[in-house]
Amino acid sequence: MKKIKQRSETYVTLLSIIGIIILVNFFSYKIFTRLDLTQNKEFTVSAVTKNTLKNLDDVVNIKVYFSKNLPSQFISLRENVGDILDAYDNYSSGNVRIEFIDPTDDEELASSLYAQGIPELQFEVFEKDQMQLVRGYMGMSIGYGSDSEIIPVVQDTKSLEYQITLAIKKLTSGETIKLGLLNGYGSLDRESLGGGIQKLEELYEVVDVDLLSVEEIDTSLKTLIIVSPKEEIPEGGLVKIDAYVAKGGNLLVLDEGVAIDEGLQATNKNNGLNNLLTNYGIKINNDMVLESKANSGVASFNQGFFTFQTSYSYWPKIAKDGFDQDNSAVSKLENVVLQWASSIDVDKTKLGENYNISYLAKSSDKSWRQTGKYDLNPQQTFTPNKTQTSNLAVDVSAKFKSPYGIEDTIFSRILVVGDSDFASGNLVTMADNLVFFQNITDSLSLDGDLIEVRSKGITSRPIETDISDGQKVLIRYLNVFGVTVLVLTIGLSRYFLRKKSRFVDDL
């Protein structure tokens, strides 16, 4: 009788546990919620995405082309993509339809994907003691009405929300924002800017602006980008820029007060643009800001047949504390490296009564300024003179007083970075430079809503720069040997304690 009772209790307990599991699964399916422990909330869609999905007035079709035979390292990627898209489904009230498709062995679909811009990828896989080639797809198509946007390859999920939300915004907005890029006068053109301009063109239409061929700058351009003119801009050109600003046009100026040529020779710049900015109350100084070795970016140099890398004081590295934490364009950045940057001063007396200033980026309090003669030798011993914090990027909003007599001016914004090299060539891919360039452009040209989503993809986590080289070495060895030493210490302690206990028992 007792056994029957015990068996009954066991069955009841087992059924209760199964019932609880079923109920938990049922409610977890019906009620969408999740706990995201990643620091940047990579698997939690932002408020921008939720608002975008909430305002959809028609169905968005998302087709994910993932092959089932992908190498093992991409299995978790497929699951993570599915998790993020589940959030889109849940917040869209049925206006987002998601479909996973395996195009393998479907030649007609493969041809269609090729025409759309989704390539078939090749992977090298080591199987059965030999290297083999595996083919597969990892692309995505986002369709709205008869239009579509393509993500050719989904490499990771860090920027996936940004890419999908950006595509939905482009498809549903029906209009493209235009930016202008100043040409001529030795300015960096779209070829020199390379990857940075390509990224901007994913969201904007970037048109070239030649001051000599236009009567006035098109005011439909949301922002005019001016990157390091090396020749003097004539007064007629400055008048056109001034008229554009007076009508509410925004300026993004990437320029420095000292030019560096290929032979590492430094000369002060005088392109006329700085005179216009100075009249507005913003001045790019003819100097260079240097940082201590711990706060500098790493640069490569050639010496004969050899290439070496070193922390270069002329490349100030801006850490998290150096960014304006109240400005969403930079508040989540942690590592931007500028090259041969100049300091910027703001004269508030020229900004009128109503203005707003954001000091976007500053050097550390261990930095110093160099003027006059410049020794750019990377192998020298840098000795600071007077250390001080310097403004390296500012964003000013005001009714800027026209130096050419235009009376009726309206509010506009001028954002100045005391360096142009960070946005050019391969340097734009260094640290968070590309995100910095995109964010400051967006902050002038959009409402800044996509900045929050893009910044989630930032993964740079530099070691605190305000520590000595000895402390860095100590942290490195603690990371390598710390756990091993801790386990050995605990093991030896237990061994001797037990040995001592046995000895006491034997007595």
Side-chain angles (χ1 to χ4, degrees), residues 244-363:
Y244 172 76
V245 172
K247 295 175 183 175
N250 298 323
L251 286 187
L252 173 58
V253 178
L254 313 182
D255 200 9
E256 49 279 307
V258 179
I260 308 295
D261 64 19
E262 293 182 355
L264 286 185
Q265 297 298 314
T267 53
N268 287 345
K269 289 179 71 173
N270 182 20
N271 53 24
L273 179 64
N274 201 20
N275 296 334
L276 180 63
L277 294 176
T278 302
N279 278 299
Y280 290 148
I282 306 168
K283 182 183 180 184
I284 302 173
N285 296 311
N286 293 119
D287 62 14
M288 281 195 274
V289 177
L290 286 81
E291 280 281 9
S292 62
K293 192 175 179 181
N295 295 318
S296 302
V298 176
S300 295
F301 295 93
N302 294 322
Q303 187 174 46
F305 296 102
F306 300 99
T307 299
F308 66 95
Q309 294 184 330
T310 184
S311 295
Y312 191 40
S313 290
Y314 281 102
W315 286 18
K317 180 169 62 179
I318 306 167
K320 189 174 182 63
D321 292 343
F323 293 106
D324 184 351
Q325 296 303 305
D326 295 325
N327 193 312
S328 62
V330 294
S331 60
K332 291 187 178 180
L333 301 180
E334 297 193 16
N335 188 14
V336 168
V337 179
L338 303 181
Q339 291 78 27
W340 300 293
S342 299
S343 63
I344 302 168
D345 289 334
V346 179
D347 185 353
K348 296 178 183 178
T349 62
K350 295 184 177 180
L351 298 177
E353 295 182 354
N354 296 318
Y355 60 85
N356 185 54
I357 305 172
S358 171
Y359 297 98
L360 294 173
K362 293 182 177 181
S363 62

Side-chain angles (χ1 to χ4, degrees), residues 98-327:
I98 300 162
E99 186 178 5
F100 276 83
I101 301 171
D102 181 4
T104 309
D105 301 329
D106 188 337
E107 294 184 2
E108 186 176 345
L109 178 57
S111 299
S112 173
L113 293 179
Y114 180 78
Q116 292 178 51
I118 298 179
E120 185 182 31
L121 306 174
Q122 285 189 348
F123 307 92
E124 289 187 346
V125 180
F126 192 76
E127 286 184 348
K128 298 179 182 178
D129 298 328
Q130 59 182 346
M131 194 66 72
Q132 296 181 355
L133 280 180
V134 174
R135 297 175 183 274
Y137 290 86
M138 296 169 58
M140 187 181 295
S141 167
I142 298 117
Y144 183 76
S146 59
D147 299 323
S148 65
E149 290 286 332
I150 299 297
I151 301 176
V153 182
V154 179
Q155 296 179 324
D156 54 52
T157 56
K158 292 170 187 167
S159 60
L160 185 60
E161 184 192 347
Y162 170 75
Q163 294 181 70
I164 296 174
T165 303
L166 171 62
I168 294 174
K169 275 180 163 289
K170 287 175 69 175
L171 289 168
T172 55
S173 67
E175 60 177 358
T176 303
I177 297 172
K178 292 199 298 183
L179 309 180
L181 177 64
L182 184 73
N183 282 182
Y185 313 108
S187 304
L188 296 188
D189 56 16
R190 61 178 62 230
E191 185 178 352
S192 302
L193 294 171
I197 289 297
Q198 289 175 13
K199 278 294 179 183
L200 293 186
E201 287 181 327
E202 292 179 359
L203 181 58
Y204 307 100
E205 179 185 354
V206 183
V207 301
D208 294 326
V209 175
D210 184 352
L211 294 177
L212 293 175
S213 62
V214 296
E215 290 292 327
E216 60 180 18
I217 299 173
D218 184 358
T219 52
S220 69
L221 299 176
K222 195 73 176 178
T223 301
L224 177 63
I225 303 172
I226 304 176
V227 188
S228 188
K230 294 178 179 55
E231 302 165 10
E232 185 170 358
I233 302 174
E235 188 176 37
L238 297 177
V239 169
K240 293 173 184 175
I241 295 173
D242 179 54
Y244 172 76
V245 172
K247 295 175 183 175
N250 298 323
L251 286 187
L252 173 58
V253 178
L254 313 182
D255 200 9
E256 49 279 307
V258 179
I260 308 295
D261 64 19
E262 293 182 355
L264 286 185
Q265 297 298 314
T267 53
N268 287 345
K269 289 179 71 173
N270 182 20
N271 53 24
L273 179 64
N274 201 20
N275 296 334
L276 180 63
L277 294 176
T278 302
N279 278 299
Y280 290 148
I282 306 168
K283 182 183 180 184
I284 302 173
N285 296 311
N286 293 119
D287 62 14
M288 281 195 274
V289 177
L290 286 81
E291 280 281 9
S292 62
K293 192 175 179 181
N295 295 318
S296 302
V298 176
S300 295
F301 295 93
N302 294 322
Q303 187 174 46
F305 296 102
F306 300 99
T307 299
F308 66 95
Q309 294 184 330
T310 184
S311 295
Y312 191 40
S313 290
Y314 281 102
W315 286 18
K317 180 169 62 179
I318 306 167
K320 189 174 182 63
D321 292 343
F323 293 106
D324 184 351
Q325 296 303 305
D326 295 325
N327 193 312

Side-chain angles (χ1 to χ4, degrees), residues 23-34 90:
L23 283 174
V24 168
N25 274 280
F26 175 77
F27 283 114
S28 65
Y29 179 76
K30 290 292 184 183
I31 304 173
F32 180 76
T33 184
R34 62 176 51 173
N90 278 282

Side-chain angles (χ1 to χ4, degrees), residues 313-478:
S313 290
Y314 281 102
W315 286 18
K317 180 169 62 179
I318 306 167
K320 189 174 182 63
D321 292 343
F323 293 106
D324 184 351
Q325 296 303 305
D326 295 325
N327 193 312
S328 62
V330 294
S331 60
K332 291 187 178 180
L333 301 180
E334 297 193 16
N335 188 14
V336 168
V337 179
L338 303 181
Q339 291 78 27
W340 300 293
S342 299
S343 63
I344 302 168
D345 289 334
V346 179
D347 185 353
K348 296 178 183 178
T349 62
K350 295 184 177 180
L351 298 177
E353 295 182 354
N354 296 318
Y355 60 85
N356 185 54
I357 305 172
S358 171
Y359 297 98
L360 294 173
K362 293 182 177 181
S363 62
S364 74
D365 57 4
K366 294 181 175 57
S367 66
W368 68 100
R369 300 179 186 178
Q370 184 80 39
T371 57
K373 291 185 177 180
Y374 302 96
D375 179 7
L376 304 185
N377 179 7
Q379 295 181 305
Q380 65 177 293
T381 300
F382 289 96
T383 305
N385 43 46
K386 178 186 174 185
T387 57
Q388 60 182 317
T389 298
S390 298
N391 300 317
L392 297 172
V394 298
D395 180 6
V396 183
S397 172
K399 283 185 178 180
F400 295 101
K401 186 177 180 182
S402 168
Y404 297 105
I406 300 176
E407 295 291 339
D408 296 326
T409 62
I410 61 177
F411 271 94
S412 63
R413 288 173 60 190
I414 299 178
L415 196 157
V416 180
V417 181
D419 175 46
S420 61
D421 299 288
F422 84 94
S424 65
N426 293 328
L427 297 176
V428 76
T429 62
M430 177 180 283
D432 295 333
N433 288 9
L434 178 58
V435 178
F436 178 53
F437 180 53
Q438 290 178 273
N439 282 3
I440 57 178
T441 307
D442 286 353
S443 72
L444 289 173
S445 312
L446 296 172
D447 296 328
D449 52 356
L450 281 173
I451 293 173
E452 178 189 348
V453 188
R454 182 192 293 121
S455 298
K456 289 170 64 175
I458 295 172
T459 57
S460 178
R461 294 287 184 271
I463 297 176
E464 292 290 335
T465 55
D466 195 19
I467 60 176
S468 66
D469 290 344
Q471 289 174 311
K472 287 183 180 178
V473 172
L474 178 63
I475 292 171
R476 184 184 305 137
Y477 282 112
L478 280 177

